Amino acid sequence: MTINEWTTAMRYLPYEKWDPTHVQTLTKTVQNSSWRLAYHIQPTSGLLNDPNGFSYFNGQWHLFYQFYPFGPVHGLKSWYHLTSSNLIDWQQEGYGLLPTNEHDSHGVYSGTALPVGDQLFLAYTGNVRTEDWSRLSYQLGAWMDKEQKIQKIDTPLIPAPPIGYTQHFRDPQIIPYQNGYLLLIGAQNQAEEGKVLVYQGDSLTDWQFLGELAFTDHSLGFMVECPNLVFINDQPLLLFCPQGMEKDELTYGNIYPNTFVTGDAFDVDDLSLTNPSPIQNLDDGFDLYATQAFNAPDGRVLSVGWAGLPELEYPTDAEGWAHCLSLVRELDLQEGQLYQRPAREHQDLRQRQTPFQSTIQELQSLIEDNQQNAYELEWTISANSKGTLHLFADPENKHSLALHFDTKNGKIVLDRSRVSLPINPAFGTTRSVSLSAGQPLHLQIFVDQSICEIFVNDGRHVFTSRVFPNIEETQLFIEGTQGSYTGHHWELRSTSQN
């Protein structure tokens, strides 16, 4: 059953008041979608958005995501819980947090998780609407034991924004720091300017407001969402999503960017990043937001993002579901540059391998008669090459996701203008990055039914983009005027969550 018009009352109808057959019917409809994914995390029905609570606890990886099961719209949110032993096969554990009390009555919003002893501490934002639909925002906590039983804490961790800030106050991240804890949170001040605020606590339930984190002189627009502070070899990396940032301060094409800043050190006394870098795009594609990262106990910094964007529509909406998560990525800093690589565990998805190499010339098939959009390409293009790789192409190559490359001049352009089903064209149809001129180009590309993740030059840049092909659009072509290439194609297996 699909619903053509979603009223506010429907979106915020308590879960127990829905007819149980609605989700059952919707789930069956969703399963028949040709755009369902083979190895990315996706909702069984309804809408998935921000990843939450990414952590390692009790010998397992844990991941939650914001979830609205009744349709592809933003409504009364909960957290859905997944566990994994390998970061690629995820077990569905059901609802983690549901809106059940006066402090989260209108939605369990985003947050993080932190292992503490033999429990996992969950920190999240509770969304409440008054009778006149004014927003109230509470920062809340809960404990999960080893049997995955979750008990909410009755008293809010932070009952209200500090003086001078609005109720746009959400997405807490808690990290251990020195002998206590820090809590970072996205906020908006009374002048409607986006900020990142910092709290400090000796315990997880008693927090002192320290002030605003200083890391840029630029305006961050009207709101900052999903701040995450991690450390790579003791060097701070701040991830965040500014909303409404002027494009003369940061070049971006999406409705809201997913960004980062690095620093030489983190100074808790000054509440600042020492020698901060310019604000940079975390992802150069069309569809990534709300990335969450954490320092894993194995020494890696791992991240995962929402492959979608707020306030936009996608073709799967008509089928009763929306969005997915990106692949889990490993983050690294080398000579001040951020690199994002697919977590090494993804190699376990590889099945049949096909090598390829050739010169770049007139249109030719890269992999003869590719049947499924579930594969990985590892591809090296020689210096002084120029051409186009066509993914999600029909047999005549009338439609495709086109990747234009020019290694002589150092340019790569992802072009969504040729796809058969346009996706939010108001925000442009191309995304590009500049590269070192006259150098070979290395690409690692993951294609999964309706998403494409392209890792450029060992993860120096990443393009994450949704694509919604017709059933026959599974071909790969290459064309150009000069150069050569070599690489491998792997068919990838489906994962247990899908």
Side-chain angles (χ1 to χ4, degrees):
M1 176 178 118
T2 58
I3 297 172
N4 295 322
E5 184 176 351
W6 285 87
T7 64
T8 298
M10 290 177 63
R11 290 173 189 252
Y12 289 90
L13 188 69
Y15 284 30
E16 66 272 14
K17 293 187 177 180
W18 280 89
D19 183 342
T21 63
H22 172 76
V23 169
Q24 296 172 7
T25 303
L26 187 60
T27 300
K28 291 179 181 179
T29 300
V30 168
Q31 288 172 346
N32 292 325
S33 170
S34 63
W35 295 318
R36 294 294 284 173
L37 305 161
Y39 55 90
H40 283 75
I41 291 170
Q42 61 193 334
T44 54
S45 68
L47 181 137
L48 165 158
N49 59 309
D50 300 7
N52 294 299
F54 194 15
S55 54
Y56 188 81
F57 168 69
N58 195 29
Q60 290 182 304
W61 302 102
H62 291 259
L63 180 59
F64 302 79
Y65 58 78
Q66 265 195 293
F67 183 44
Y68 182 69
F70 304 107
V73 297
H74 293 273
L76 185 60
K77 298 291 183 63
S78 58
W79 279 21
Y80 196 83
H81 186 197
L82 304 171
T83 58
S84 176
S85 62
N86 62 5
L87 291 173
I88 52 176
D89 293 291
W90 293 92
Q91 176 70 35
Q92 299 186 41
E93 304 291 353
Y95 292 110
L97 289 169
L98 284 162
T100 58
N101 62 43
E102 61 180 336
H103 297 123
D104 60 19
S105 59
H106 288 72
V108 174
Y109 278 18
S110 290
T112 50
L114 182 68
V116 180
D118 60 356
Q119 297 185 90
L120 186 67
F121 186 77
L122 309 178
Y124 68 99
T125 296
N127 181 50
V128 173
R129 294 286 190 164
T130 63
E131 288 187 4
D132 64 359
W133 210 245
S134 297
R135 181 194 301 274
L136 296 175
S137 182
Y138 298 94
Q139 309 318 310
L140 308 174
W143 291 101
M144 186 180 81
D145 64 20
K146 290 184 176 181
E147 284 70 48
Q148 298 184 19
K149 294 179 181 178
I150 296 176
Q151 181 66 47
K152 292 181 180 180
I153 298 171
D154 293 335
T155 303
L157 308 180
I158 304 173
I163 295 172
Y165 297 87
T166 75
Q167 292 289 337
H168 288 285
F169 178 65
R170 55 185 174 268
D171 311 337
Q173 182 209 21
I174 295 178
I175 59 173
Y177 193 77
Q178 296 177 347
N179 296 320
Y181 303 95
L182 293 179
L183 184 151
L184 277 71
I185 190 164
Q188 179 191 73
N189 66 18
Q190 294 290 352
E192 298 188 353
E193 298 169 327
K195 302 292 180 181
V196 175
L197 306 186
V198 183
Y199 288 74
Q200 189 171 34
D202 294 328
S203 74
L204 291 164
T205 55
D206 185 15
W207 295 97
Q208 176 186 0
F209 177 52
L210 297 184
E212 296 177 3
L213 181 65
F215 58 91
T216 181
D217 293 329
H218 291 296
S219 167
L220 299 175
F222 60 82
M223 178 62 189
V224 173
E225 294 190 316
C226 306
N228 267 227
L229 180 65
V230 293
F231 294 88
I232 302 176
N233 298 322
D234 296 324
Q235 189 173 352
L237 169 68
L238 178 69
L239 310 180
F240 59 102
C241 295
Q243 296 188 325
M245 190 172 180
E246 294 293 336
K247 295 187 177 181
D248 58 359
E249 297 184 343
L250 175 71
T251 300
Y252 65 95
N254 297 342
I255 183 172
Y256 304 126
N258 202 155
T259 62
F260 73 94
V261 167
T262 63
D264 292 339
F266 171 69
D267 189 331
V268 71
D269 295 321
D270 285 344
L271 284 187
S272 65
L273 298 188
T274 304
N275 191 25
S277 71
I279 298 174
Q280 301 170 66
N281 287 306
L282 183 67
D283 193 280
D284 292 292
F286 294 91
D287 302 287
L288 193 75
Y289 194 75
T291 293
Q292 182 165 111
F294 79 108
N295 284 91
D298 61 9
R300 291 184 289 178
V301 174
L302 300 176
S303 76
V304 65
W306 166 26
L309 287 167
E311 303 170 30
L312 300 184
E313 296 180 353
Y314 289 83
T316 56
D317 293 357
E319 299 179 332
W321 69 285
H323 311 308
C324 63
L325 297 184
S326 72
L327 299 179
V328 174
R329 301 173 183 179
E330 300 179 15
L331 307 186
D332 193 19
L333 288 170
Q334 298 177 16
E335 299 180 351
Q337 303 294 329
L338 179 64
Y339 287 79
Q340 304 174 73
R341 304 178 180 94
R344 61 199 69 168
E345 286 86 346
H346 288 97
Q347 294 183 19
D348 292 337
L349 296 175
R350 292 174 176 173
Q351 295 189 309
R352 189 175 70 171
Q353 176 184 345
T354 304
F356 54 81
Q357 65 177 51
S358 184
T359 57
I360 299 172
Q361 49 193 302
E362 294 181 355
L363 186 69
Q364 57 186 305
S365 177
L366 186 66
I367 298 295
E368 290 295 334
D369 197 29
N370 187 70
Q371 293 295 314
Q372 293 290 330
N373 283 321
Y375 58 83
E376 176 191 350
L377 289 178
E378 195 164 5
W379 205 42
T380 300
I381 305 165
S382 66
N384 300 316
S385 295
K386 189 173 184 180
T388 300
L389 173 67
H390 297 277
L391 308 168
F392 298 97
D394 65 274
E396 290 76 36
N397 198 35
K398 293 180 180 178
H399 300 287
S400 72
L401 177 68
L403 186 67
H404 310 295
F405 55 87
D406 180 350
T407 59
K408 179 178 180 180
N409 296 301
K411 186 83 169 181
I412 185 169
V413 179
L414 186 64
D415 182 357
R416 213 159 59 172
S417 68
R418 300 183 80 251
V419 298
S420 56
L421 193 57
I423 309 148
N424 298 310
F427 293 92
T429 58
T430 61
R431 299 288 187 267
S432 63
V433 295
S434 296
L435 309 170
S436 297
Q439 298 295 316
L441 173 63
H442 181 263
L443 301 173
Q444 189 176 9
I445 301 173
F446 288 83
V447 166
D448 187 5
Q449 310 299 1
S450 59
I451 187 173
C452 181
E453 296 183 60
I454 302 172
F455 297 83
V456 180
N457 287 341
D458 202 29
R460 178 64 188 87
H461 302 280
V462 187
F463 294 90
T464 302
S465 301
R466 299 301 305 274
V467 183
F468 299 91
N470 291 324
I471 194 70
E472 75 280 3
E473 293 174 349
T474 61
Q475 304 303 305
L476 297 88
F477 295 105
I478 183 172
E479 61 180 331
T481 56
Q482 60 190 78
S484 62
Y485 62 88
T486 184
H488 296 85
H489 170 280
W490 287 274
E491 296 176 0
L492 301 184
R493 68 171 175 86
S494 297
T495 57
S496 61
Q497 191 259 342
N498 297 315

